[in-house]
Amino acid sequence: VTVGFWADAKGDNFGFYSAHHHSYQVDFPTSHNASPELQQLLGVNDRGIAVGFYTDKNGSNHGWTYDIATHHDALVHVKGDTNVTGAAINDLGDIAGIATNSAGTTEGYVLRSDGKVIHLNVPGATATQAFGINDGDEVAGTYTVGSGSDAPTYGFLWAPGFGYQTINDPNGIGTTLLNGINDRGQLVGFYTDSAGNVERLLADPAF
């Protein structure tokens, strides 16, 4: 099962899932969409629960989940945060993503299935974004140091009980982004090399 999003000629984005050689459009039911519409599914677990976000007419993101079997939608609420994006979900139902905290800072989060929230802020970072989570609640993402379009970005791995570890491709230090992690701890993402080319990466760190 694959989830994602597609765009039409007007620039509207719509979520979808593909299964059994067919694709189906999925959008959170709301009358307060941004214009152009922005709805995306970004992750799915082995139970067929997808996660993503939509943007409202005021420009705020709202995380949501979609049960492929029952077609049930539910909003994702992160206590203390606004502008929530759901980026990944593991088989326990724990969600990782991006939100804005009360200080206006972009932070990552883990929203566990029991309702507990873990706020992720890499020390020294001006923004932290969580993009992937595995069944051990290890999180892959990216953090930024400084501000502006030239601010460097670094990949990170966070694990319960261990904390943060910076992960950079040696050919793209300051331009690395990690967006996926499997249950073996292998990470995928991309970086920009010195010639300006975007290159894919696979990392296999050992904690």
Side-chain angles (χ1 to χ4, degrees), residues 158-163:
W158 176 86
F162 290 91

mmCIF file with all atom_site columns, all heavy atoms in Angstrom, residues 158-163:
data_model
loop_
_atom_site.group_PDB
_atom_site.id
_atom_site.type_symbol
_atom_site.label_atom_id
_atom_site.label_alt_id
_atom_site.label_comp_id
_atom_site.label_asym_id
_atom_site.label_entity_id
_atom_site.label_seq_id
_atom_site.pdbx_PDB_ins_code
_atom_site.Cartn_x
_atom_site.Cartn_y
_atom_site.Cartn_z
_atom_site.occupancy
_atom_site.B_iso_or_equiv
_atom_site.pdbx_formal_charge
_atom_site.auth_seq_id
_atom_site.auth_comp_id
_atom_site.auth_asym_id
_atom_site.auth_atom_id
_atom_site.pdbx_PDB_model_num
ATOM 1  N N   . TRP A 1 158 ? 16.786 10.342 16.536 1.00 0.00 ? 158 TRP A N   1
ATOM 2  C CA  . TRP A 1 158 ? 16.461 10.402 17.960 1.00 0.00 ? 158 TRP A CA  1
ATOM 3  C C   . TRP A 1 158 ? 15.918 9.054  18.381 1.00 0.00 ? 158 TRP A C   1
ATOM 4  O O   . TRP A 1 158 ? 15.102 8.442  17.675 1.00 0.00 ? 158 TRP A O   1
ATOM 5  C CB  . TRP A 1 158 ? 15.408 11.471 18.245 1.00 0.00 ? 158 TRP A CB  1
ATOM 6  C CG  . TRP A 1 158 ? 14.961 11.514 19.676 1.00 0.00 ? 158 TRP A CG  1
ATOM 7  C CD1 . TRP A 1 158 ? 15.556 12.201 20.690 1.00 0.00 ? 158 TRP A CD1 1
ATOM 8  C CD2 . TRP A 1 158 ? 13.840 10.836 20.259 1.00 0.00 ? 158 TRP A CD2 1
ATOM 9  N NE1 . TRP A 1 158 ? 14.881 11.990 21.874 1.00 0.00 ? 158 TRP A NE1 1
ATOM 10 C CE2 . TRP A 1 158 ? 13.822 11.153 21.626 1.00 0.00 ? 158 TRP A CE2 1
ATOM 11 C CE3 . TRP A 1 158 ? 12.864 9.978  19.750 1.00 0.00 ? 158 TRP A CE3 1
ATOM 12 C CZ2 . TRP A 1 158 ? 12.853 10.644 22.502 1.00 0.00 ? 158 TRP A CZ2 1
ATOM 13 C CZ3 . TRP A 1 158 ? 11.900 9.470  20.613 1.00 0.00 ? 158 TRP A CZ3 1
ATOM 14 C CH2 . TRP A 1 158 ? 11.897 9.811  21.967 1.00 0.00 ? 158 TRP A CH2 1
ATOM 15 N N   . ALA A 1 159 ? 16.387 8.563  19.528 1.00 0.00 ? 159 ALA A N   1
ATOM 16 C CA  . ALA A 1 159 ? 15.924 7.282  20.049 1.00 0.00 ? 159 ALA A CA  1
ATOM 17 C C   . ALA A 1 159 ? 15.605 7.426  21.527 1.00 0.00 ? 159 ALA A C   1
ATOM 18 O O   . ALA A 1 159 ? 16.343 8.094  22.264 1.00 0.00 ? 159 ALA A O   1
ATOM 19 C CB  . ALA A 1 159 ? 16.978 6.190  19.846 1.00 0.00 ? 159 ALA A CB  1
ATOM 20 N N   . PRO A 1 160 ? 14.501 6.824  21.993 1.00 0.00 ? 160 PRO A N   1
ATOM 21 C CA  . PRO A 1 160 ? 14.157 6.889  23.415 1.00 0.00 ? 160 PRO A CA  1
ATOM 22 C C   . PRO A 1 160 ? 15.297 6.342  24.276 1.00 0.00 ? 160 PRO A C   1
ATOM 23 O O   . PRO A 1 160 ? 15.838 5.267  24.011 1.00 0.00 ? 160 PRO A O   1
ATOM 24 C CB  . PRO A 1 160 ? 12.912 5.998  23.516 1.00 0.00 ? 160 PRO A CB  1
ATOM 25 C CG  . PRO A 1 160 ? 12.342 5.967  22.134 1.00 0.00 ? 160 PRO A CG  1
ATOM 26 C CD  . PRO A 1 160 ? 13.526 6.034  21.213 1.00 0.00 ? 160 PRO A CD  1
ATOM 27 N N   . GLY A 1 161 ? 15.670 7.103  25.276 1.00 0.00 ? 161 GLY A N   1
ATOM 28 C CA  . GLY A 1 161 ? 16.744 6.675  26.167 1.00 0.00 ? 161 GLY A CA  1
ATOM 29 C C   . GLY A 1 161 ? 18.133 7.014  25.687 1.00 0.00 ? 161 GLY A C   1
ATOM 30 O O   . GLY A 1 161 ? 19.093 6.904  26.448 1.00 0.00 ? 161 GLY A O   1
ATOM 31 N N   . PHE A 1 162 ? 18.270 7.417  24.422 1.00 0.00 ? 162 PHE A N   1
ATOM 32 C CA  . PHE A 1 162 ? 19.590 7.756  23.871 1.00 0.00 ? 162 PHE A CA  1
ATOM 33 C C   . PHE A 1 162 ? 19.687 9.228  23.486 1.00 0.00 ? 162 PHE A C   1
ATOM 34 O O   . PHE A 1 162 ? 20.754 9.818  23.533 1.00 0.00 ? 162 PHE A O   1
ATOM 35 C CB  . PHE A 1 162 ? 19.905 6.900  22.644 1.00 0.00 ? 162 PHE A CB  1
ATOM 36 C CG  . PHE A 1 162 ? 20.163 5.463  22.966 1.00 0.00 ? 162 PHE A CG  1
ATOM 37 C CD1 . PHE A 1 162 ? 19.126 4.535  22.961 1.00 0.00 ? 162 PHE A CD1 1
ATOM 38 C CD2 . PHE A 1 162 ? 21.442 5.022  23.266 1.00 0.00 ? 162 PHE A CD2 1
ATOM 39 C CE1 . PHE A 1 162 ? 19.357 3.202  23.256 1.00 0.00 ? 162 PHE A CE1 1
ATOM 40 C CE2 . PHE A 1 162 ? 21.685 3.689  23.567 1.00 0.00 ? 162 PHE A CE2 1
ATOM 41 C CZ  . PHE A 1 162 ? 20.637 2.776  23.568 1.00 0.00 ? 162 PHE A CZ  1
ATOM 42 N N   . GLY A 1 163 ? 18.580 9.821  23.062 1.00 0.00 ? 163 GLY A N   1
ATOM 43 C CA  . GLY A 1 163 ? 18.611 11.220 22.654 1.00 0.00 ? 163 GLY A CA  1
ATOM 44 C C   . GLY A 1 163 ? 18.942 11.379 21.187 1.00 0.00 ? 163 GLY A C   1
ATOM 45 O O   . GLY A 1 163 ? 18.612 10.533 20.363 1.00 0.00 ? 163 GLY A O   1
#
